[in-house]
Every structure is written in C-alpha cells, then in structure tokens.
Amino acid sequence: MTPDHGRAALDAARTLEPQIVRFLRDMIAIPGESCRERDRCHRVKAELEALGFDEVFFDRLGTVVGRVGSGPVKILFDGHVDTVGVGDPAAWPHDPFAGKLENDEVWGRGAVDELPAIACMAYGLHLLRQRGLPPEVTVYITASVMEEDCDGACLLHVVENEGIRPDLVVLGEPTDLAVYRGHRGRMEATITTRGVSAHGAHAHRGVNALYKMAPIIADVEQLNGRLADDPFLGPGSVIVSFVECTTPSLNAVPDRARIFVDRRLTVGETAESALAELRALPHLGDAEVELLSYDEQGWNGGRATQDKVFPTWVLPEDHPLVQGVAEAATAVLGARPAISRWHFSTNGVATMGRLGIPTVGFAPGREELAHTTEERVAVADLVKATAVYSVIPEVLAAQRRG
C-alpha cells in the first residue's frame, strides 16, 4: 500500500466529515443500553441502507448486519452498538445524549465505547465501494448488541447461527488509532455463605453469614497478589466487586451473604483454574463458589445465554492480519501505529478466544475514557479511522493474492 494511496483515502474521508459526525451524534442522541438498543439499531440500519450496502438486516438477537461484496475472503468489521448507563446526568460536563460537538470533539455516552467505530466503518466501506471493492473480498459490518452485558455472546451468535463465518475480524473497541492484538480474559463468579438468623437482641443464638464472609474477602484480596503474570498482557487479577446479604430485618442476624468476584485471566489461566483457586481459599469452609451465567432477552425478542467465561486471546504480532492492518494505518497516518493490547475485554473473546478466527482491533478513541463522564472523541481521528477502514480490505486482499 503506497503512501499516495493512503493520502488519497484520507482526502476522500475528509470530504465526508460532516456526514460521519452527524451519524455519530445521531447515535449518541438515542439511548441504547444493553437489551434496549432497538431505536439505535434502526438508526444504524437506515444509515447502511442509505449508503447503498448490498444487504442490510437484523439478526435474530437484534444485531444490525450489513454486507458489501461477494468475494471468497470474508472480513468482518464489528462495533457494538449498546452502551452502559450514564449514572448521574448532573456529573457530566455536557448532556450525555446531546452528542455535543465542542472544540472539534464529539462528547457523550458512547462517544468512545464504541459508536465512533460504527460510523467510521460504515463510511469507510462506503468510500471503498466508491473506489472499487476488491473482487476477492466480502466485507460484513456488525453493529452488535448486548456486548456491555455479555461480551462476545451476540457476535458468537452471528458466526454460529447466522451463516456468517469470517476469515478475519477487525474490532472497533477504542485503540487510539493503534493496532491491538489481544487482551486478558475474564470470568464472573459468586461465593455464598449461609448462617442462622436470630433477633439482634439474641445474636448469640444465630450464625452471622456476613462474619463468615469477612475472612473470605480478605483471602480474595491476598489471592490477587499471587496470580500469574504475562509480559504482554500483564498479570491476572481478582477483586470483590459487590456484596449483598439477606436478613429478616435491620435488627436481625443475616442468614446469607454473597460476594461477586471479577477475575481477569492472563495467559495460562483458565476459568477452571480460577474456580479451583477460589475453592481452595483458606477460610472458604462450607461456602459455595458458583460460576455466573447470562440469560437475557434482546430488544427484538431473541434470547442470549452463556456462562460468564470470556477467554484470554492473543494474536501473534507477525500474523498477516496484524501486519496488514498496521500497513493500512501506516499508509493513511504517515507513521507506523503502535501494536498493543486492551486492558478490558471485547467481542474478540468470541471470534478469537472461542473460535480461533484471527482478530485485531483498530479504532479512534482512548480506552481510559470509556464509561466515564469525560467520554469524547476527536473529529480528526474519526476521519483518519474512516480512511484506514476503507484501505484495510484492499491490503488484506493484496495479501491473499501473494
């Protein structure tokens, strides 16, 4: 890919800046938490249809799927369309649903995680169709649902149940225009202690489930310092993320306590090994350790179910997909992008983690701004990302030609 081709793609993307920004602001303006993405999904579908995609439809879980081309090499661009909640609206410097444009940045919930990717992917493929789609490729775009609730579940459905088996996947989680090639996995579990309720005035007659839980919480904190480490992904980690108990009243001994555990899995760790560590905690006693599962109905009535296990994955740096996306970014940006990894989890747990389909990430936006009241993205980066997305299929097609 020559620098001249990259510069031409960037110049073409600049002419579409108003449309890209408008589409992103429109998506931000429509609330779309997990399982409630209907109106936002309809907005995305309408944009893909207006851009002349060859095929656009909702899958059985509500994900928007668009397609261009019909070649044998199948490339999937994925950006999840759902977002987390906004918390206290008064804590935001701008209305989180205004999609405010200020100082050449777009603000709002989803302005990093990860509505920019959907806008840029859509217009990047539009640019590519205008230049001429390589005949070797079919490119799908998925605006996937429920990712914030259960990363990977709905993209796994696309691959396993909708007849779309990509050869290569590019994710739109924020990378700040770097190329990311993996991240730690994770698992969600609970630990439950049981006691005997009694009136607070006769507490000696009861067994306090919270007191039984206290040393277990300390055990979890100590376990965090003994976990495996990896030079690329970093160490595994474990935290207690939530505590609850049941009690007949505020002046009674609690008869049940439960903690929720967030466990991040680095290279060499599995859900089975992590569960074994929890079951070996020194003060566990008769407490129960259980893996959490996901079972929710989507906005269009489809149901997503799976255990809350999200595998670790890493694609080697010398893999053609990593190098191909880096080549596309270099041609557009004029400098080679950093090659790195996410700190959080993505839909790559499905494509690469479960199915072994080569997967990378490239997108505008800074990961550390996701889920914060400072969520925003630079317009200049939207334009650059659009140009890079338009070039990626060309580079990957050229690789296949040899």
Side-chain angles (χ1 to χ4, degrees):
M1 180 61 58
T2 67
D4 285 346
H5 189 83
R7 285 192 291 270
L10 184 58
D11 288 342
R14 288 191 178 108
T15 68
L16 296 175
E17 178 185 309
Q19 294 96 309
I20 299 165
V21 171
R22 172 193 52 77
F23 182 29
L24 174 57
R25 296 181 68 192
D26 284 356
M27 287 190 286
I28 292 171
I30 304 169
E33 293 181 38
S34 298
C35 303
R36 297 189 289 276
E37 308 98 334
R38 183 187 67 178
D39 291 348
R40 188 179 283 160
C41 285
H42 278 280
R43 178 66 186 84
V44 173
K45 183 173 183 284
E47 193 77 9
L48 299 185
E49 290 171 340
L51 289 173
F53 275 57
D54 296 332
E55 182 180 18
V56 185
F57 63 94
F58 294 130
D59 81 356
R60 282 167 280 180
L61 294 181
T63 289
V64 187
V65 181
R67 176 185 61 82
V68 295
S70 55
V73 180
K74 295 180 173 60
I75 304 166
L76 174 64
F77 287 177
D78 175 68
H80 71 77
V81 74
D82 59 317
T83 52
V84 296
V86 301
D88 179 9
W92 287 73
H94 305 295
D95 181 341
F97 296 119
K100 185 176 179 62
L101 178 61
E102 181 177 86
N103 297 326
D104 294 319
E105 294 179 314
V106 179
W107 289 70
R109 176 57 79 224
V112 167
D113 189 12
E114 64 183 79
L115 301 179
I118 296 172
C120 297
M121 288 170 172
Y123 276 88
L125 293 179
H126 173 64
L127 280 178
L128 179 57
R129 291 179 74 245
Q130 289 182 325
R131 284 200 305 270
L133 191 72
E136 298 93 339
V137 302
T138 300
V139 188
Y140 293 96
I141 180 173
T142 48
S144 50
V145 294
M146 298 190 223
E147 191 276 347
E148 295 290 2
D149 263 8
C150 191
D151 27 318
C154 293
L155 190 56
L156 186 68
H157 168 86
V158 168
V159 177
E160 292 191 326
N161 301 301
E162 299 288 346
I164 298 172
R165 177 80 188 202
D167 300 295
L168 305 163
V169 176
V170 178
L171 302 177
E173 293 280 7
T175 70
D176 199 19
L177 302 181
V179 179
Y180 284 7
R181 61 183 184 91
H183 58 71
R184 294 180 300 172
R186 67 184 186 92
M187 177 197 75
E188 296 180 21
T190 61
I191 302 176
T192 303
T193 55
R194 300 184 188 279
V196 177
S197 185
H199 196 289
H202 301 277
H204 64 284
R205 299 174 62 86
V207 177
N208 195 313
L210 274 176
Y211 291 170
K212 292 175 70 174
M213 185 63 78
I216 296 174
I217 292 174
D219 288 345
V220 171
E221 183 178 15
Q222 292 174 5
L223 173 62
N224 185 65
R226 306 194 302 270
L227 299 175
D229 200 350
D230 178 78
F232 179 62
L233 293 188
S237 64
V238 60
I239 63 165
V240 175
S241 59
F242 191 75
V243 181
E244 65 181 18
C245 73
T246 58
T247 181
S249 74
L250 294 182
N251 56 5
V253 174
D255 59 4
R256 178 178 175 272
R258 182 165 67 158
I259 60 172
F260 290 74
V261 175
D262 177 283
R263 177 68 160 89
R264 301 287 158 157
L265 306 166
T266 196
V267 173
E269 297 183 315
T270 65
E272 291 75 21
S273 68
L275 287 170
E277 289 168 342
L278 294 177
R279 290 175 176 138
L281 292 174
H283 297 93
L284 189 72
D286 61 356
E288 302 165 0
V289 177
E290 295 181 299
L291 182 66
L292 282 172
S293 61
Y294 185 74
D295 184 0
E296 294 291 341
Q297 181 173 296
W299 68 263
N300 69 341
R303 197 158 203 96
T305 61
Q306 74 165 55
D307 288 338
K308 300 196 84 172
V309 174
F310 310 92
T312 306
W313 65 275
V314 181
L315 194 64
E317 186 165 353
D318 61 359
H319 191 280
L321 179 59
V322 176
Q323 295 304 312
V325 174
E327 179 183 341
T330 301
V332 171
L333 304 178
R336 186 168 175 80
I339 309 295
S340 190
R341 81 286 186 265
W342 289 282
H343 290 81
F344 56 36
S345 184
T346 74
N347 272 340
V349 299
T351 54
M352 183 68 187
R354 294 183 184 274
L355 301 176
I357 300 171
T359 300
V360 299
F362 176 87
R366 292 157 47 200
E367 178 183 343
E368 65 270 21
L369 296 180
H371 299 193
T372 74
T373 60
E374 297 293 318
E375 199 170 353
R376 64 193 186 276
V377 66
V379 171
D381 288 350
L382 297 176
V383 173
K384 293 172 184 176
T386 298
V388 174
Y389 290 134
S390 79
V391 171
I392 287 172
E394 295 175 317
V395 173
L396 299 181
Q399 285 180 343
R400 293 301 176 106
R401 293 185 209 116

